[in-house]
Amino acid sequence: MPRISDRQRIAQDIRDKIASGVYGPGAKLPSMREMSAHYGVSAEPVRSALLILQAEGLVEGHQGKGVYVTEK
């Protein structure tokens, strides 16, 4: 079984949390620092995961305010 990258693992976990309603529409995601600690990684894979989710239209970043689940 191929090992999935940290960024893919994190993106999938956040996807699952959005799908299950842990993070509802308009919800603010934890900070980069909090997510790095939670997933046990540096900020880089977290940033990459958020970019993947932004490209998919699931979240949107607001400079200096944080990352939010998009209103579907």
Side-chain angles (χ1 to χ4, degrees), residues 4-41:
I4 64 167
S5 66
D6 285 331
R7 72 171 186 217
Q8 294 286 5
R9 175 175 61 91
I10 294 165
Q12 189 56 55
D13 188 58
I14 295 170
R15 240 183 244 118
D16 291 344
K17 286 179 172 168
I18 291 170
S20 67
V22 174
Y23 299 138
K28 184 176 193 282
L29 297 185
S31 71
M32 199 79 85
R33 186 181 297 121
E34 290 168 325
M35 286 200 270
S36 295
H38 176 76
Y39 294 109
V41 297

Side-chain angles (χ1 to χ4, degrees), residues 14-71:
I14 295 170
R15 240 183 244 118
D16 291 344
K17 286 179 172 168
I18 291 170
S20 67
V22 174
Y23 299 138
K28 184 176 193 282
L29 297 185
S31 71
M32 199 79 85
R33 186 181 297 121
E34 290 168 325
M35 286 200 270
S36 295
H38 176 76
Y39 294 109
V41 297
S42 68
E44 198 43 54
V46 174
R47 191 175 294 116
S48 295
L50 293 174
L51 288 173
I52 292 168
L53 296 171
Q54 268 182 296
E56 292 171 1
L58 290 174
V59 301
E60 52 192 12
H62 297 282
Q63 195 62 45
K65 290 200 179 84
V67 178
Y68 295 82
V69 178
T70 52
E71 304 273 358

